[in-house]
Amino acid sequence: MTYIRPAFKHPHLPKNQIGYTAKDYEGSLSTLCAGCGHDSITAAIARACFEMNVQPHKVAKLSGIGCSSKTPAYFLGNSHGFNSVHGRMPSVATGANMANRDLVYFGVSGDGDSASIGMGQFVHAIRRNLNMVYVVMNNGCYGLTKGQDSATADLGSKSKAGSINPFQAIDLASLAVELGATFVAQSFSGDKQQLIPLLKAAMNHKGFALLNVISPCVTFNNNPGSTKSYDYVREHVEATGTVDFVPEKSEILHSQEEGTDKYVEMHDGTYLKLHKLDQHWDPEDRISAASALQHARAKGEILTGLLYVHTGHPDLHDVLGTAGKPLNAMLEKELCPGNEALQEVNAGLR
Amino acid sequence: MEPTNVKNPEYYHKVVDCQYACPAHTPVPEYIRLIAAEKYTEAYLVNWESNVFPGVLGRTCDRPCEPACRRGRVEEEPVAICRLKRVAADNKEDITRFIPRGPFPPNGKKIALIGGGPASLTVARDLAPLGYEIHLFDEQKAGGGMMRSQIPSFRLPDAVLNEEVGFILNMGIHAVFNKRVESLKAVADEKYDAIFVGTGAPRGRDLSDLPGRSEGAANIHIGIEWLANVAFEHTHAIGKKVIVLGGGNTAMDCCRTSRRLGGEQVKVVVRSPFSDMKASPWEKEDAMHEDIPILDNHVPLSFEVKNGRLTGMTFDKVHPVYDENGKRKLVSTGEAPVFIEADDVLIAIGQENSFPWIERDLGLEFDKWGMPVVDALTFQSTMPNVFFGGDAAFGPKNVITAVAQGHQAAVSIDLYCNQKSLTERPSPFTNLMSTKMGIHEWSYDSLVVNDQRFAVPQAPKSETLRDRKKEVELGFDVKTAFQEAQRCLNCDVQTVFTEDRCIECDACMDICPTNCITFTTNGDEADLRTRLIAPAENMSQDLLVSATLKTGKVMVKDEDVCLHCGLCAERCPTSAWDMQKFLYNMAKPASYLPSKL
Ligand SMILES: Cc1cc2nc3c(=O)[nH]c(=O)nc-3n(C[C@H](O)[C@H](O)[C@H](O)COP(=O)(O)OP(=O)(O)OC[C@H]3O[C@@H](n4cnc5c(N)ncnc54)[C@H](O)[C@@H]3O)c2cc1C
Ligand SMILES: Cc1ncc(C[n+]2csc(CCOP(=O)(O)OP(=O)(O)O)c2C)c(N)n1
Ligand code: SF4
Ligand code: SF4
Ligand code: SF4
Ligand SMILES: [Mg+2]
């Protein structure tokens, strides 16, 4: 019996700007079921980090409980990771982010982890505009506990055992738009061409970025009648358009502006290039995003792509006016400024 | 691209790099697995079926398989394919009961084989069991051709050669030794149904025009003649100072033999730069290990003779200059000629064919270089019942090429004797079988080990230089053989893709450790090669392309550095990938392997 990844790699693998190959962003071998959508998403995250030239040690992966929440073990093996308790990933992410604002934060969660037990945490992370990429690997079921319907399972969706889900689904993307999330996107694990640029854009977005990714559970929710199966999703996806992350302003000048192309400037002078398929929708307009989502739902479609983006909104650090430096980069003098400073603080509170 | 036609056996055959490169297409990974399983007899027979002389070749083969070995593309060194073959030969049990033994029911046809080297012996082995009456003539006193007369005993012990030549001669071959054929016409008049010429390339090149050649003749020898004289024990000694001229394997055998016959200061002197020498790297290493310096870029000017005795040679020092086509010219450095002392000189600068015994009025055409006109596929000459093979057909090569050509000639002779078309060659025997046993379980060792190539131990120089017949290489012990065998990547276990099962989940693409698999939109080959996850720059390796999948993409797999680790199949939820063992056996007139070993 052997299930061990060989040490050899392709001898001519391309390197990114900081000299790493895509291999350097891999983690240990996945123990998820063969063909699980979650594995494709982790591969997309690893690829996005490679393409964004991030130092692996400048990334933190945080998760709750579930097959999805296990995945941080399977990508970015050289990054920081914290596997928290069920539904509590946002709290841990908040703490970590407050202590060190210099890392890229990937929150990895499932539909059970976020839409049921962790719902309270999820909405507050959005409300605070915590600077992180929040990935929901959404398979409409509790994969790890053998496939019970989750809160994102669609009304009328059929389980593998044949029962019909009698409840309304929670639409995480609509909810996020409603709550004022500053970056909301939806995608499909089986479409890396769309997913990777979205991840790159989300990584570069300052503020809370939700990526709700439909991710078929091949073992418990890939049956006919399920609305989260490979076949069903492929038949019902409708993309808002394409998105590209443009790191250099100069590149924009070279490209021909088309009627449907739109550039969204990000906080650091980089751009998102949006090629819209639907003229009536404006990704920078919350009402238009909300209505596009409602329209798609009414038509039984799954709307994918970038749905809503709002740059320039203060993130949690801005709101709280925290120090610019991570705590671990401060010296003792800065962390313990002494009695005089303490007296001043106390006086201010009197 | 069009979907790859995997029904053509040559597609998967080409993936098995070593087997494809082997002129006789020995199923290499098959026998390596058998060695790992300690099934040495079976491993030997798999070899014997294909290459006829596993014991000889496991020690002396030119091993074209090794530079082709996939392992060399993912790490430093290929698998020690050749020396593993020797392990099978060394550790096999008595195999006589597995070898077809006559008398075979005669089919009424008579074949003459001229020459008793590996080419002729292969023809004999392939045809005898079909009932052909075979008459073999050789001017040497025993069979084996240059395997006996040229390859020195310290590389190939007589016992090993005798055993394998014996397997064939004992099949009821009528062998006539010490018999030089002086006329093809005379043989043709004997009413043979077909004649095979396997007389090799028996003439060593000379430097007749070099000043001093005739004056020093007593101490100037043609390398291959000298080696034959040593092998047949007519020559027992050589001077203390020896110059060997030439940079090929013959030169290496001459210098190493000289060291064993009394040569103390033996030097190899070669015209070309060291890196351009024809000798295999390992032969050069072995020579240098025996304290034989190799002086490159020295062009011979003259033999120096004093008082009627050879004293040495002078050389012009040169350096290579390459023109825009990469063609090399050796240009004198202008330095004064170099004198090197010598008691004896061995000229080992190449061999030629020579057919003084073939009458030119028989209808057997020769080209302007004096070579017979031979068909490269059928090995038939312009005399329909006369076939050529081995060094006699297309000039000096090596044992495994002689064997491969012997097989082809045997197929042709069999077709010819049955009045069938020689160009409609029989298809190879192929078999494709799943290796899946269960989850994470395959019937081959899919684990890819990280070991570097193991070195074959040698007997100490102090012993081997004292005895011409003492074999230098000791061969792998069975433990090391197992470790070396595990380095094999099992390239014959093919990644077989069934498109209508694929749900395009990308799992295989994501897991593949060497990024062989890409799902993308189709294009022409040149375009596709640039659009894969890892660029497919090795043009000698094919792309496996599927038919269009549901989403409109195709699956493209670059065969180049696939480790045959099976992870793609392991991770595929629908078994769209399967690891299937592909067996390919080149067509021969008869099959030798017992159906159950
Ligand atoms: C020094 C040296 C070392 C070599 N080392 C290696 C090695 O390590 N590995 C390797 O693979 N190859 C090696 N070779 C090459 C290899 O020996 C030959 O390529 C191979 O033996 C060719 O086989 P063959 O059957 O075509 O002819 P040969 O082996 O040359 O056999 C031809 C036979 O025909 C006989 N013959 C010729 N004319 C007549 C006639 N008119 N009548 C009767 N008999 C005749 C000859 O006596 C000879 O026995 C070496 C060659 C040399 C010279
Ligand atoms: C506090 C707590 N309650 C319940 C569980 C049992 N449990 C484990 S995983 C899981 C659901 C996971 O579903 P999801 O987040 O969708 O992950 P998936 O496995 O589908 O990727 C549950 C309920 C638990 N581990 N901890
Ligand atoms: S149970 Fe479902 S979600 Fe969990 S690993 Fe298997 S396929 Fe993926
Ligand atoms: S066997 Fe499959 S996973 Fe392994 S290297 Fe080959 S293509 Fe990749
Ligand atoms: S793992 Fe299997 S089903 Fe998935 S993409 Fe590869 S071949 Fe297709
Ligand atoms: Mg789930």
Side-chain angles (χ1 to χ4, degrees):
Chain A
M1 178 180 137
T2 40
Y3 183 53
I4 295 169
R5 184 159 38 207
F8 298 125
K9 59 181 183 193
H10 194 287
H12 308 295
L13 272 191
K15 290 190 171 147
N16 63 11
Q17 284 165 16
I18 56 171
Y20 293 121
T21 68
K23 274 248 147 183
D24 300 314
Y25 295 86
E26 282 180 351
S28 51
L29 204 53
S30 171
T31 59
L32 301 185
C33 306
C36 178
H38 299 357
D39 279 332
S40 301
I41 302 174
T42 61
I45 297 175
R47 187 79 208 173
C49 289
F50 165 76
E51 289 179 12
M52 291 291 277
N53 304 298
V54 296
Q55 296 278 2
H57 70 278
K58 288 289 197 186
V59 178
K61 311 165 289 182
L62 309 128
S63 64
I65 296 293
C67 296
S68 37
S69 293
K70 281 173 71 179
T71 63
Y74 314 138
F75 67 95
L76 291 171
N78 295 312
S79 300
H80 307 280
F82 197 111
N83 190 191
S84 74
V85 283
H86 206 11
R88 269 56 182 166
M89 175 271 282
S91 307
V92 179
T94 308
N97 193 318
M98 287 299 98
N100 186 348
R101 53 159 70 196
D102 280 358
L103 305 184
V104 177
Y105 287 92
F106 278 104
V108 179
S109 182
D111 42 325
D113 197 57
S114 285
S116 291
I117 194 168
M119 184 55 111
Q121 302 240 328
F122 173 69
V123 297
H124 286 283
I126 295 177
R127 180 174 153 266
R128 290 169 178 160
N129 199 26
L130 187 65
N131 185 14
M132 71 181 297
V133 181
Y134 194 114
V135 179
V136 179
M137 300 182 170
N138 190 343
N139 55 14
C141 71
Y142 297 170
L144 191 69
T145 53
K146 300 203 167 183
Q148 300 84 352
D149 287 338
S150 78
T152 65
D154 289 306
L155 178 66
S157 180
K158 200 192 229 174
S159 78
K160 191 177 178 180
S163 60
I164 304 290
N165 174 36
F167 300 112
Q168 302 255 9
I170 292 178
D171 178 354
L172 290 171
S174 293
L175 182 65
V177 171
E178 164 63 26
L179 289 167
T182 50
F183 183 112
V184 181
Q186 211 149 235
S187 190
F188 170 47
S189 66
D191 186 358
K192 284 207 185 68
Q193 246 161 315
Q194 181 191 56
L195 183 53
I196 293 169
L198 283 174
L199 279 162
K200 286 160 71 177
M203 284 167 73
N204 216 54
H205 173 72
K206 188 178 166 211
F208 188 89
L210 173 71
L211 259 141
N212 182 37
V213 190
I214 314 296
S215 173
C217 169
V218 278
T219 303
F220 298 114
N221 204 8
N222 195 34
N223 48 289
S226 157
T227 59
K228 297 270 191 296
S229 68
Y230 278 104
D231 284 346
Y232 184 91
V233 177
R234 285 211 168 100
E235 275 160 30
H236 293 82
V237 280
E238 187 61 44
T240 55
T242 60
V243 59
D244 272 316
F245 173 70
V246 186
E248 307 273 349
K249 191 171 190 172
S250 56
E251 286 181 36
I252 293 174
L253 304 173
H254 294 301
S255 67
Q256 280 294 75
E257 292 252 349
E258 279 170 41
T260 48
D261 280 1
K262 184 181 168 99
Y263 288 91
V264 178
E265 186 171 4
M266 309 204 74
H267 74 285
D268 58 353
T270 56
Y271 282 82
L272 286 186
K273 178 189 171 190
L274 288 165
H275 177 75
K276 292 194 297 171
L277 293 176
D278 177 2
Q279 295 298 322
H280 304 295
W281 155 80
D282 176 2
E284 288 188 288
D285 175 9
R286 237 163 101 178
I287 297 171
S288 144
S291 103
L293 275 162
Q294 294 303 328
H295 274 109
R297 197 202 290 198
K299 282 195 279 177
E301 283 168 354
I302 304 159
L303 196 62
T304 62
L306 181 62
L307 305 172
Y308 175 64
V309 61
H310 173 54
T311 60
H313 194 83
D315 80 339
L316 186 54
H317 281 285
D318 298 334
V319 172
L320 298 180
T322 56
K325 258 195 209 174
L327 296 187
N328 66 5
M330 290 185 189
L331 300 174
E332 192 183 345
K333 207 168 88 223
E334 296 166 282
L335 288 169
C336 306
N339 195 30
E340 222 169 273
L342 179 64
Q343 295 308 329
E344 235 175 79
V345 172
N346 284 345
L349 295 172
R350 280 204 184 98
Chain B
M1 286 175 78
E2 288 295 309
T4 307
N5 177 17
V6 294
K7 293 259 153 43
N8 178 351
E10 292 309 311
Y11 181 79
Y12 287 138
H13 183 203
K14 196 171 164 200
V15 174
V16 195
D17 296 289
C18 46
Q19 181 176 13
Y20 192 69
C22 173
H25 304 308
T26 308
V28 174
E30 178 78 359
Y31 81 70
I32 290 185
R33 274 190 302 273
L34 288 168
I35 289 170
E38 299 181 354
K39 296 187 168 190
Y40 305 113
T41 301
E42 289 87 339
Y44 183 87
L45 289 171
V46 165
N47 270 289
W48 188 76
E49 156 105 11
S50 294
N51 56 47
V52 192
F53 301 100
V56 172
L57 290 165
R59 293 167 163 83
T60 65
C61 189
D62 260 358
R63 16 172 158 155
C65 52
E66 291 192 16
C69 172
R70 180 175 301 259
R71 185 100 190 174
R73 298 201 292 275
V74 291
E75 58 131 323
E76 306 285 305
E77 295 263 14
V79 175
I81 300 169
C82 178
R83 283 354 185 212
L84 284 173
K85 192 190 312 289
R86 171 176 170 178
V87 172
D90 286 357
N91 294 286
K92 67 181 187 302
E93 58 189 276
D94 179 8
I95 61 150
T96 38
R97 69 198 162 100
F98 294 118
I99 285 189
R101 254 213 287 197
F104 306 102
N107 69 359
K109 312 268 188 213
K110 242 168 66 176
I111 314 286
L113 309 178
I114 307 177
S120 290
L121 289 171
T122 300
V123 177
R125 189 207 69 168
D126 283 2
L127 293 181
L130 295 174
Y132 287 94
E133 184 181 317
I134 294 176
H135 297 237
L136 179 149
F137 306 96
D138 194 300
E139 62 180 320
Q140 285 176 188
K141 65 175 183 186
M146 287 195 166
M147 299 189 293
R148 188 176 298 280
S149 65
Q150 298 295 317
I151 303 180
S153 301
F154 58 83
R155 288 206 290 126
L156 173 61
D158 285 348
V160 174
L161 179 64
N162 289 343
E163 180 183 36
E164 291 184 338
V165 170
F167 287 150
I168 300 166
L169 295 182
N170 291 342
M171 282 176 158
I173 311 296
H174 306 277
V176 188
F177 292 113
N178 298 312
K179 160 88 182 141
R180 180 174 165 86
V181 172
E182 297 292 358
S183 156
L184 179 61
K185 184 169 183 307
V187 179
D189 287 347
E190 295 291 318
K191 301 271 172 282
Y192 286 105
D193 294 279
I195 298 169
F196 176 78
V197 179
T199 50
R203 193 159 70 193
R205 288 221 179 90
D206 201 347
L207 289 170
S208 332
D209 298 338
L210 217 60
R213 173 69 181 90
S214 48
E215 294 86 332
N219 294 91
I220 302 171
H221 321 277
I222 302 295
I224 64 168
E225 287 170 13
W226 183 79
L227 284 171
N229 282 332
V230 173
F232 294 120
E233 311 207 309
H234 306 311
T235 296
H236 300 279
I238 197 160
K240 286 203 166 64
K241 292 178 188 153
V242 181
I243 293 176
V244 176
L245 298 175
N249 289 343
T250 305
M252 299 304 114
D253 282 338
C254 284
C255 67
R256 296 180 69 193
T257 303
S258 299
R259 285 286 279 134
R260 288 157 172 80
L261 259 60
E264 284 168 12
Q265 294 168 38
V266 180
K267 294 187 174 76
V268 171
V269 186
V270 53
R271 295 160 50 95
S272 67
F274 185 82
S275 56
D276 291 2
M277 284 170 60
K278 283 221 181 88
S280 326
W282 56 89
E283 302 240 25
K284 293 197 269 187
E285 271 166 39
D286 287 343
M288 291 185 296
H289 174 70
E290 291 175 0
D291 313 311
I292 300 164
I294 297 177
L295 306 177
D296 63 349
N297 296 319
H298 280 65
V299 172
L301 289 177
S302 64
F303 296 98
E304 297 297 317
V305 182
K306 222 180 235 159
N307 304 329
R309 222 193 132 72
L310 182 81
T311 57
M313 286 187 74
T314 58
F315 296 90
D316 185 24
K317 273 190 83 175
V318 295
H319 63 100
V321 176
Y322 298 88
D323 69 12
E324 62 273 17
N325 302 324
K327 219 177 130 72
R328 192 191 70 194
K329 243 173 75 184
L330 296 174
V331 178
S332 173
T333 60
E335 293 167 58
V338 181
F339 174 75
I340 300 174
E341 268 188 90
D343 302 320
D344 283 285
V345 173
L346 299 175
I347 305 177
I349 57 171
Q351 287 158 254
E352 283 165 354
N353 293 83
S354 125
F355 300 98
W357 55 276
I358 299 184
E359 295 82 353
R360 300 300 142 118
D361 57 0
L362 297 176
L364 202 155
E365 255 177 68
F366 283 80
D367 65 16
K368 58 178 168 183
W369 297 282
M371 288 296 285
V373 174
V374 175
D375 186 278
L377 178 73
T378 64
F379 293 88
Q380 192 177 33
S381 72
T382 54
M383 250 173 101
N385 65 333
V386 178
F387 298 81
F388 281 71
D391 289 356
F394 299 108
K397 300 261 168 20
N398 49 40
V399 174
I400 190 66
T401 304
V403 168
Q405 297 182 351
H407 286 316
Q408 291 307 329
V411 167
S412 295
I413 291 170
D414 190 41
L415 292 171
Y416 178 79
C417 291
N418 288 292
Q419 286 91 41
K420 290 191 186 143
S421 159
L422 300 198
T423 50
E424 279 162 43
R425 315 294 289 175
S427 323
F429 168 88
T430 58
N431 191 16
L432 191 63
M433 198 175 66
S434 178
T435 60
K436 194 166 179 70
M437 310 264 286
I439 292 175
H440 301 338
E441 248 185 303
W442 305 96
S443 62
Y444 72 107
D445 254 332
S446 60
L447 180 78
V448 176
V449 299
N450 295 327
D451 286 334
Q452 303 273 305
R453 183 178 171 121
F454 292 86
V456 179
Q458 297 197 341
K461 220 166 29 175
S462 53
E463 284 174 27
T464 58
L465 289 185
R466 237 186 296 139
D467 178 359
R468 170 176 80 81
K469 295 199 167 181
K470 167 102 188 151
E471 190 172 15
V472 172
E473 284 195 6
L474 300 173
F476 284 130
D477 59 37
V478 295
K479 184 173 156 277
T480 318
F482 172 77
Q483 288 174 296
E484 183 62 33
Q486 289 297 89
R487 292 180 70 239
C488 170
L489 295 170
N490 300 288
C491 300
D492 60 340
V493 181
Q494 306 282 346
T495 55
V496 176
F497 185 72
T498 311
E499 37 265 273
D500 51 14
R501 290 211 184 127
C502 175
I503 57 170
E504 295 176 75
C505 69
D506 286 358
C508 52
M509 171 164 94
D510 295 336
I511 197 85
C512 177
T514 41
N515 300 97
C516 305
I517 302 170
T518 305
F519 287 82
T520 186
T521 47
N522 208 342
D524 61 35
E525 180 168 354
D527 163 50
L528 266 183
R529 279 181 177 270
T530 61
R531 284 197 285 114
L532 306 183
I533 299 189
E537 285 156 358
N538 184 349
M539 300 304 289
S540 69
Q541 292 284 321
D542 288 342
L543 300 181
L544 173 69
V545 182
S546 75
T548 308
L549 301 167
K550 260 194 204 159
T551 64
K553 294 185 194 167
V554 285
M555 186 291 302
V556 186
K557 183 197 165 208
D558 178 8
E559 298 284 5
D560 187 18
V561 289
C562 170
L563 303 169
H564 297 261
C565 66
L567 286 182
C568 49
E570 201 95 71
R571 291 308 286 165
C572 179
T574 61
S575 297
W577 284 111
D578 189 25
M579 304 305 292
Q580 299 189 4
K581 194 177 88 166
F582 176 69
L583 183 65
Y584 179 106
N585 259 323
M586 208 174 90
K588 295 176 199 77
S591 174
Y592 304 94
L593 283 189
S595 58
K596 258 207 170 81
L597 279 170

